[in-house]
Amino acid sequence: DGGITQSPKYLFRKEGQNVTLSCEQNLNHDAMYWYRQDPGQGLRLIYYSQIVNDFQKGDIAEGYSVSREKKESFPLTVTSAQKNPTAFYLCASKGRETQYFGPGTRLLVL
Amino acid sequence: EDKVVQSPLSLVVHEGDTVTLNCSYEVTNFRSLLWYKQEKKAPTFLFMLTSSGIEKKSGRLSSILDKKELSSILNITATQTGDSAIYLCAVGNTGTASKLTFGTGTRLQVTL
């Protein structure tokens, strides 16, 4: 099956803890993106990567970090510096024309 | 800063009704406007519009772009309960990063 997978589906974070959200794609896409979605708000761009070993900050990068060591994988770490991490996180990759989304990870704070 | 505004924010209709969702934008170097449908999880792609006045159609859904008015509409005819979702509008610019700016979405609920 071709597509984008995200894990876990739900993630609980304790205060002061770093957590990592996984995003994998087997679509052979170069560009990948991380978005955050809060209730009543649209998707906001956290980080994006156009090619392996390269990534740029989006509009709300503070408190997050990423890596892009492989074309297929673009993990997002939510650090303890992110004071309001509770949200729905969506990963996307870009095909020829459009972005395609994974199923998302819901992050909750204990 | 690129900006996308959708209206209405939410809408409740009866099955069989026709609805029109609106999207207006301000973007530097416009490239495309996209519509997505989001049920419980991942947004799924509906349409991409790049040229003014050309209607894109898929079943009961259709969309058109007006570059002069910097806006787009998404029409759904003969609505069904399965159309209940958040409809997201996004615009892309001509930058190499292919970044999208999203609106807040329109929440559509179709009742029996």
Side-chain angles (χ1 to χ4, degrees):
Chain A
D1 266 14
I4 304 172
T5 57
Q6 290 186 243
S7 62
K9 193 173 174 181
Y10 295 96
L11 185 56
F12 298 91
R13 192 191 94 161
K14 294 180 184 175
E15 199 159 329
Q17 187 181 38
N18 291 355
V19 292
T20 297
L21 285 61
S22 168
C23 177
E24 305 276 330
Q25 54 101 359
N26 61 5
L27 300 167
N28 201 32
H29 290 165
D30 285 314
M32 296 185 74
Y33 308 80
W34 272 106
Y35 294 91
R36 170 181 171 139
Q37 187 176 31
D38 294 279
Q41 297 201 38
L43 277 62
R44 293 184 290 165
L45 183 64
I46 305 173
Y47 266 97
Y48 62 100
S49 167
Q50 295 179 261
I51 200 162
V52 174
N53 292 322
D54 186 53
F55 50 82
Q56 284 80 40
K57 292 182 180 180
D59 301 317
I60 54 164
E62 188 174 344
Y64 300 97
S65 66
V66 293
S67 62
R68 187 83 187 278
E69 295 175 5
K70 296 187 299 182
K71 190 175 187 177
E72 302 80 20
S73 178
F74 190 38
L76 173 75
T77 296
V78 183
T79 75
S80 57
Q82 173 49 244
K83 297 305 177 192
N84 185 21
T86 297
F88 188 50
Y89 290 86
L90 285 160
C91 177
S93 68
K94 183 180 175 296
R96 209 161 66 89
E97 295 289 350
T98 64
Q99 291 185 21
Y100 298 93
F101 288 85
T105 292
R106 193 164 295 280
L107 177 60
L108 301 161
V109 176
L110 294 175
Chain B
E1 185 182 322
D2 296 348
K3 189 175 171 184
V4 177
V5 177
Q6 292 186 246
S7 65
L9 291 180
S10 67
L11 190 56
V12 180
V13 300
H14 291 109
E15 204 171 40
D17 288 350
T18 293
V19 298
T20 298
L21 309 182
N22 301 286
C23 176
S24 62
Y25 61 88
E26 295 172 26
V27 61
T28 307
N29 300 320
F30 174 89
R31 176 185 178 134
S32 58
L33 185 144
L34 294 90
W35 285 98
Y36 288 86
K37 177 183 181 182
Q38 185 178 25
E39 294 176 84
K40 294 211 183 330
K41 298 180 191 174
T44 53
F45 171 75
L46 293 174
F47 299 111
M48 184 175 78
L49 305 157
T50 55
S51 300
S52 242
I54 298 175
E55 185 182 54
K56 293 263 181 117
K57 202 168 166 61
S58 175
R60 295 175 294 102
L61 278 66
S62 63
S63 184
I64 196 160
L65 176 67
D66 186 337
K67 281 185 174 178
K68 193 174 172 188
E69 296 296 325
L70 306 182
S71 66
S72 173
I73 58 170
L74 175 68
N75 280 321
I76 309 175
T77 59
T79 51
Q80 301 171 357
T81 54
D83 295 326
S84 297
I86 297 173
Y87 290 85
L88 296 166
C89 174
V91 293
N93 59 28
T94 54
T96 55
S98 299
K99 293 191 291 179
L100 296 177
T101 301
F102 282 83
T104 53
T106 292
R107 182 181 293 274
L108 173 65
Q109 186 179 349
V110 181
T111 62
L112 290 170

